[in-house]
Each structure stands twice: as C-alpha cells, then as structure tokens.
Amino acid sequence: MPDILPDRRARKGFLGYLYRYPTIAIGGFLLLVMLAIAIFAPFLWTKDPTALAPAMRTRPPGERWWFGTDMLGRDVYSRVLYGTRVSLMVGFGVAIASSVIGLFIGLVAGFIRWADSIIMRVMDGLMSIPSILLAIALMALTRGSVGNVILAITIAEIPRVSRLVRGVVLSLREQPYVEAAIASGTRTPVIIWRHILPNTLAPMTVQATYICASAMIAEAILSFIGAGTPPIIPSWGNIMAEGRALWQVKPYIVFFPAIFLSITVLAVNLLGDGLRDSLDPRLAKRV
C-alpha cells in the first residue's frame, strides 16, 4: 500500500532529534534568544539602565522610548534587557548549585543506609518550610545582592533535588548489577561513581530545568517585595515593584518585565518537558 501509506523515513542527526521533540526546539530557541539579549544588551540600542531623567518620567512607549520610562525617567526598555542578565544568572546559578549539592546528598543518603535517616530528617525539616519563606528568612540575615539571592534560593531547593536523587538511588541499589558489584568486593565510592551516578543524571537534568524556572520566579518575588536584589540593580522583580504604584495609569512599566519573565520561564519549562520525553524511555516518542 505505498500510495495510501507512504514510507516515512526516520530523520537522523540533530535536526531529526529536534523534529521528534519540538518542545526542545521551541524552548531551546526561546532560551537562546534570552541568552543573546543578556549577552548583547549593551549593543541593542540600550541606554544606561540606572540613568535618571526626571524631566522624562512616565513617558509612554513611543519612537524614542520603546517601552516608555518609569517614575524616575529611566528607560524601561534598557532596564528590562539588562534585567535579563540577573534572572538568567540567578536561574542558572541556583540550578547548578542545588543540583550538584543535592546530587551528593542524595547519593550518600540513598546508598549508605545508616546515613539515610539522619540526612533525610534534616531535608524533611527544610522542606516543611515553604521555599519562598525560607528564602525570605535567609535574605533577612544578609544584605541584598545577587549572590545572596542565589545562596538563599539554593538552600531552599537542595532538599527537592536530594529527595529525587535518593529515590532513584534506592531503586538502583537493588539492581542485579549493583548487587554483583557489591558481592565482588567493589568499593562503595567506585560503585556510586560507575553504576549509580550515570543513571541519576537524566532525571536530575530534567529537575534542574524546573529548578531554574522556579528560581527565576522566586527571585522576581523576592525583589518585588523588597527582599531580593538592591533597587539599584535592574531586575524584572525590581522593575515591577517600582511600577505597581502606577499600575492603573501606567501599566506598561509592569507589563514588559512580566512578559519577559513569562517567556523565559515558559522556555525553560518547555525545554524541561522535552528533555523528560527524550530521556525517559517510557515517554519517548517513536517515529
């Protein structure tokens, strides 16, 4: 039946991979665009994001001010583009730091039985506190800076990574090849490095994308309520916090950073969904 059911040849290579998983292609493209904006912000017809111009305050979007100006006369377009750097720095920083630390804790807790109860009770105690409240409490003990925001959100996200890795390790350590390695006298660090760690990277990578998106939202929340980055640093949360008093008459001050934040979080979530489909054999799409 060649005319009714034409032969569909599987596409190979990188383009074929993107064809099979369009969410990875869309999410990756949007994320690359945001990375390009963050890197090349000084060359995208921007001005000094901290320059004050009281005579030009609350100007609506137009030919001169593409996104308008805020109540201090600062260019919203420049502040939004430079704010991309802060959000991506926080998102990637928290995702990497929490994944590395949570991976180590989860491996130890999942494979070493006597340490499991001690470590996981500490993680359960941290998880009993809402992550945003824990981050606010940690920020209250330190001064506002991007580094402290990354540290506070990382501490709040570590328990989630460690519990995920621990659950994977608990199932892996019962596998026959792990039991065979133990019976042959292989040392515990070698078993973890050769047999356990490679099988935890796929679910942890997917989890890292969701942590990245969650961290960017948490940074915006902290900055919005005044517990995040200092007001002098242009971030999407700070811009929205400064524009909320004029929301009813000048909504563009809040609208543009909110759109950029939504697109970035959507890109990271799409990338995570695509990675989950491609790395999980039960959800992998067949061509």
Side-chain angles (χ1 to χ4, degrees):
M1 303 173 62
D3 297 331
I4 300 177
L5 298 174
D7 183 23
R8 295 181 58 189
R9 297 181 180 179
R11 302 188 181 186
K12 299 181 180 180
F14 181 70
L15 294 179
Y17 179 80
L18 296 181
Y19 177 79
R20 292 193 300 272
Y21 304 105
T23 53
I24 294 181
I26 298 173
F29 172 75
L30 293 176
L31 190 59
L32 286 177
V33 170
M34 290 300 171
L35 283 172
I37 291 175
I39 295 173
F40 300 106
F43 308 102
L44 297 177
W45 303 280
T46 57
K47 304 176 178 63
D48 184 359
T50 60
L52 304 179
M56 300 294 178
R57 59 186 180 182
T58 62
R59 295 296 176 90
E63 182 178 355
R64 182 178 180 183
W65 313 99
W66 291 356
F67 290 178
T69 60
D70 61 10
M71 66 288 299
L72 298 178
R74 294 171 296 189
D75 184 21
V76 177
Y77 169 77
S78 301
R79 291 177 63 79
V80 169
L81 263 60
Y82 276 91
T84 308
R85 295 181 171 184
V86 176
S87 290
L88 292 181
M89 187 184 304
V90 171
F92 291 155
V94 171
I96 294 173
S98 61
S99 297
V100 172
I101 300 174
L103 174 63
F104 175 77
I105 295 175
L107 288 173
V108 174
F111 200 81
I112 302 177
R113 298 178 184 274
W114 63 266
D116 184 19
S117 59
I118 299 175
I119 294 176
M120 296 316 298
R121 295 299 77 75
V122 177
M123 296 296 105
D124 290 341
L126 291 176
M127 289 190 68
S128 65
I129 307 174
S131 58
I132 190 64
L133 294 181
L134 180 59
I136 292 173
L138 294 173
M139 287 302 300
L141 301 176
T142 60
R143 63 183 182 88
S145 67
V146 177
N148 289 336
V149 170
I150 294 175
L151 177 62
I153 302 177
T154 298
I155 294 176
E157 294 291 346
I158 285 176
R160 291 162 179 78
V161 180
S162 61
R163 289 190 67 87
L164 172 67
V165 175
R166 172 184 175 269
V168 175
V169 173
L170 287 177
S171 63
L172 290 175
R173 73 181 185 184
E174 305 298 333
Q175 296 298 319
Y177 59 87
V178 176
E179 295 179 349
I182 296 174
S184 63
T186 307
R187 293 181 301 171
T188 298
V190 177
I191 296 175
I192 294 177
W193 179 259
R194 291 183 179 179
H195 303 291
I196 303 297
L197 179 60
N199 291 290
T200 62
L201 294 181
M204 193 191 67
T205 301
V206 177
Q207 181 70 11
T209 60
Y210 298 131
I211 290 176
C212 179
S214 176
M216 288 189 286
I217 295 176
E219 184 276 328
I221 293 174
L222 291 174
S223 299
F224 188 82
I225 63 178
T229 56
I232 193 175
I233 298 178
S235 70
W236 293 334
N238 283 337
I239 299 171
M240 289 187 286
E242 294 165 354
R244 60 183 170 182
L246 301 176
W247 165 250
Q248 294 183 344
V249 292
K250 303 292 181 180
Y252 60 85
I253 301 177
V254 177
F255 176 77
F256 289 112
I259 287 295
F260 271 68
L261 177 61
S262 300
I263 292 175
T264 307
V265 172
L266 174 64
V268 177
N269 284 333
L270 286 175
L271 184 62
D273 289 341
L275 290 175
R276 180 196 60 189
D277 294 342
S278 64
L279 295 176
D280 191 338
R282 295 171 298 180
L283 300 175
K285 297 177 181 179
R286 304 293 181 182
V287 177

